[in-house]
Amino acid sequence: MKDLCNAYGFESTRTPPASVAHLRAFMDAQPTAVQRAFYTISNYLAVDELEASNHKSPLVFDRYYASTCAYTIGSAAGITEDEIREMGAEAFRLPADLPEADLTIILHCSDEVRRQRMQGRKVGNNMFEERYESQKNLASLVTCAYDRMLTSASELPHKPWTIQVNADGGAATCVSEIARLCTQKRIL
């Protein structure tokens, strides 16, 4: 994200926003329902903070609602990939009171690349990485939820522009592909 913003002068933000980011480790240690509530509320807080700011350039939002939705669905107790695939498009729809992005990009990388990147960060695994490692099907369930989100976008009446970019090739390849998509969408 930083490379993309630097290359094209985009502004950036993320969830949870800086105002509550200090609570992340504590919230990640809470029961799943509390965690999911925290991340959902974080989307609203970040939007409120953005509306109060005066940003003028395109904005890159790291971990917005698509991430919250996919992880919430993928981590639901007892859910299967078949159940996720059978969910209606409405399950993946952005709540009406959150602004929709002009372009939603879901970065996908293989488990091997994800592990390598986490090791390269030298900060240790976060709670989600530890869950991915201990609950072997969690990563595939979350990935299935992202995949269903991609197919569900075409089933919604307003057809949000949601695409997936393979992030295995590294930052430069991702930035190039995202820039191409932004140009196609007339964001650049």
Side-chain angles (χ1 to χ4, degrees), residues 37-177:
F38 171 70
Y39 284 99
T40 299
I41 290 168
S42 290
N43 286 293
Y44 288 92
L45 289 172
V47 167
D48 282 348
E49 290 175 16
L50 282 174
E51 288 174 351
S53 73
N54 210 5
H55 70 89
K56 293 180 181 19
S57 63
L59 178 71
V60 176
F61 210 126
D62 188 13
R63 292 189 305 263
Y64 189 48
Y65 185 75
S67 176
T68 303
C69 179
Y71 196 87
T72 298
I73 290 170
S75 64
I79 198 157
T80 66
E81 288 186 25
D82 286 339
E83 290 170 328
I84 293 170
R85 286 187 198 99
E86 292 169 8
M87 293 176 118
E90 290 300 317
F92 300 91
R93 186 179 197 159
L94 185 77
D97 54 352
L98 281 176
E100 188 161 334
D102 293 322
L103 171 63
T104 298
I105 300 169
I106 298 171
L107 296 179
H108 175 78
C109 64
S110 65
D111 285 342
E112 181 179 326
V113 169
R114 180 181 51 79
R115 282 188 204 99
Q116 288 172 356
R117 289 181 183 166
M118 290 306 296
Q119 289 172 352
R121 291 181 186 170
K122 298 178 184 167
V123 293
N125 282 349
N126 67 24
M127 181 86 50
F128 296 114
E129 288 300 316
E130 290 170 9
R131 283 192 189 130
Y132 277 172
E133 293 301 320
S134 67
Q135 301 171 11
K136 293 299 180 189
N137 67 334
L138 179 59
S140 65
L141 291 169
V142 172
T143 298
C144 184
Y146 275 122
D147 291 345
R148 179 63 184 110
M149 187 179 300
L150 287 165
T151 60
S152 74
S154 65
E155 299 167 21
L156 293 169
H158 64 288
K159 299 192 181 8
W161 216 50
T162 304
I163 53 99
Q164 181 171 303
V165 171
N166 184 327
D168 281 351
T173 303
C174 280
V175 167
S176 175
E177 178 62 10

